[in-house]
Amino acid sequence: MAAVGSCGEWFISTCGKKLVAIHSKQDREPFVFDCSSAEKKPKNPKEENNSDGGGSEETGSDKVLAFTVSSSGTLVALTDDSKRLVLFRCEPSWQCVSIRWVVRRCTALMFSQAEEELIATDKSGDVYSFSVVEPQREGELKMGHLSMLLALSMSTDDKYIITADRDEKIRVSHLRSPYNIQSFCLGHQQFVSALLVPPGHPHWLLSGSGDGTMKLWEYESGTKLQSWDLKDLEETPSSEGDKQKVTMNPTVCRISSSPDAHHVAVQCERVSTLQFFTLDQESEQKLAPHSRLSLPHCPLDMTFDSEGRLWVLMDSSDAPLQVYTHRGDSWECDAESPELIRVTEAFRPHWETLEASARSHNRFEHLYKVSFDNVTVYLQKKQQRLEEQQLKRGRGQQANGNKKAKKTTSESRSHSSS
């Protein structure tokens, strides 16, 4: 997974098996954590007889699956394909606090606002809580879904945990008693792939989906406030290839908000443009499309820094990073930014270790539900059976007619001979 984040003045990226942190203001030594050389999971005899397969000894690829940064910017956590859960402290200097183990491969991570616990969701639909205060303590199972969890968010007061799964559901649960469900936010037609409670708007929730829409909710009541079809916001396609792309629903893979909560950027999988919205508490149209930013390459991930600039990681070996600043009424590229030059030079050697095939792979393709038209097949077979039955009846009636004709002819002959 290639992803980026901001932790104070540190630019953070994961590429392949590494987490790389680079200071954007000072010429400090980058912090690099390589999962392939990290602590291995100790063998546990009890797990060898585990029948559910969740804790079995299974060799992973060590690739980073997800990472998150705490709201204060002092804590970072990652999880990888070998089921590690690694906790870091980045202030005053980077250090690995603990390495723990998850039961199943995780899909999303998030710190609570109080930064006392780390929430992890996994592919089986379970949600675990890991203590930050006691960094060696094992995780505690909090709740579960019936399908794979794809996105995670929390209310700013740590009251609610918001989870989204492959079955289009967004569930709002009480964090301290997750068996109490506050509401469901229902309306997406495909898997929900991105969630965000925008800063400054504690009662709102933004959600993105494989159906190509982004929705705004009042999540405590489950009320949908607005919905935008991102395909309708596409500019008029100029070529046949672009027309074909527009006919397909784009998958929302990232929703990010600026620190002042005024700008919201939406990224879609394998689409080389970013859609910007503005949020306004007082406006009747609370969520309004603002502008579109065309990129030279497909974005892999994006993040706002503390100054409100947008950092974009792109699928390009020549220029993997770009920084955009909002000036006037548009977003402009700061190609000569000293921070960008410093970060790019330190980041490039690690970026080259990521295989191009991994960068170009559509990670959401397998999540789409495949529909089967059983009714059409049934009607075709039924029509075929009816035609076969009519044909049999026709042959039977013809055979009976021939028998009657033969019988009449023989009777006539017998009368004539007598």
Side-chain angles (χ1 to χ4, degrees), residues 210-222:
D211 61 11
T213 67
M214 186 175 76
K215 300 183 187 298
L216 176 65
W217 310 85
E218 199 290 307
Y219 61 83
E220 286 188 71
S221 63

Side-chain angles (χ1 to χ4, degrees), residues 114-412:
E115 301 184 4
E116 295 177 349
E117 59 183 319
L118 174 63
I119 305 298
T121 63
D122 65 30
K123 292 185 175 182
S124 69
D126 290 335
V127 179
Y128 283 83
S129 172
F130 292 84
S131 174
V132 174
V133 181
E134 301 177 63
Q136 304 299 331
R137 201 173 80 187
E138 293 185 359
E140 175 188 355
L141 179 63
K142 301 289 287 187
M143 55 184 279
H145 281 236
L146 295 177
S147 63
M148 180 190 298
L149 286 169
L150 300 175
L152 167 69
S153 190
M154 296 176 68
S155 61
T156 55
D157 59 0
D158 286 343
K159 183 178 181 180
Y160 300 110
I161 178 172
I162 307 169
T163 49
D165 62 24
R166 188 181 180 181
D167 291 337
E168 307 105 28
K169 297 190 303 298
I170 301 173
R171 184 200 295 183
V172 182
S173 309
H174 289 258
L175 179 61
R176 302 307 166 197
S177 53
Y179 47 83
N180 288 327
I181 298 176
Q182 174 69 20
S183 65
F184 285 98
C185 299
L186 304 176
H188 283 293
Q189 302 301 312
Q190 281 286 354
F191 55 88
V192 179
S193 47
L195 294 174
L196 175 69
V197 175
H201 304 281
H203 302 292
W204 287 357
L205 173 70
L206 293 168
S207 65
S209 167
D211 61 11
T213 67
M214 186 175 76
K215 300 183 187 298
L216 176 65
W217 310 85
E218 199 290 307
Y219 61 83
E220 286 188 71
S221 63
T223 303
K224 182 173 66 178
L225 303 178
Q226 281 180 287
S227 179
W228 289 98
D229 190 334
L230 300 179
K231 187 170 61 176
D232 294 341
L233 300 177
E234 288 277 0
E235 298 175 357
T236 304
S238 57
S239 65
E240 290 299 323
D242 292 335
K243 289 179 182 179
Q244 186 175 2
K245 288 182 181 179
V246 172
T247 58
M248 301 172 60
N249 288 327
T251 302
V252 178
C253 58
R254 183 70 182 269
I255 304 173
S256 186
S257 172
S258 60
D260 62 4
H262 185 63
H263 299 285
V264 172
V266 181
Q267 174 193 342
C268 294
E269 184 78 357
R270 311 312 301 169
V271 176
S272 59
T273 55
L274 299 178
Q275 175 67 53
F276 289 92
F277 291 82
T278 55
L279 279 172
D280 191 347
Q281 184 86 33
E282 306 300 329
S283 173
E284 182 178 346
Q285 191 179 21
K286 299 176 175 61
L287 181 69
H290 176 266
S291 60
R292 290 183 65 82
L293 175 63
S294 296
L295 302 172
H297 306 280
C298 281
L300 299 176
D301 200 17
M302 62 177 182
T303 186
F304 284 95
D305 63 17
S306 57
E307 299 177 12
R309 296 177 300 180
L310 184 67
W311 292 71
V312 183
L313 176 66
M314 290 182 291
D315 190 359
S316 169
S317 300
D318 298 328
L321 286 171
Q322 289 290 357
V323 175
Y324 295 88
T325 303
H326 188 258
R327 295 189 181 95
D329 203 37
S330 63
W331 290 87
E332 299 178 4
C333 179
D334 284 340
E336 303 301 322
S337 166
E339 291 91 346
L340 174 63
I341 295 172
R342 179 180 294 108
V343 171
T344 301
E345 288 179 354
F347 174 67
R348 193 183 298 277
H350 305 285
W351 170 250
E352 291 173 354
T353 63
L354 186 63
E355 296 180 1
S357 59
R359 301 202 307 265
S360 60
H361 176 65
N362 188 334
R363 54 198 168 108
F364 296 102
E365 189 175 4
H366 68 286
L367 297 175
Y368 282 94
K369 293 184 177 179
V370 180
S371 59
F372 297 94
D373 191 0
N374 295 329
V375 176
T376 301
V377 175
Y378 167 75
L379 292 176
Q380 289 176 349
K381 290 183 177 181
K382 183 178 180 180
Q383 181 64 28
Q384 185 178 355
R385 287 197 302 269
L386 290 174
E387 291 175 355
E388 290 175 354
Q389 290 174 0
Q390 290 176 356
L391 184 61
K392 288 180 180 179
R393 290 196 196 99
R395 289 174 178 172
Q397 291 175 357
Q398 185 178 2
N400 291 335
N402 292 336
K403 287 180 181 179
K404 289 180 180 179
K406 289 181 180 179
K407 184 177 180 180
T408 303
T409 304
S410 61
E411 288 177 352
S412 300

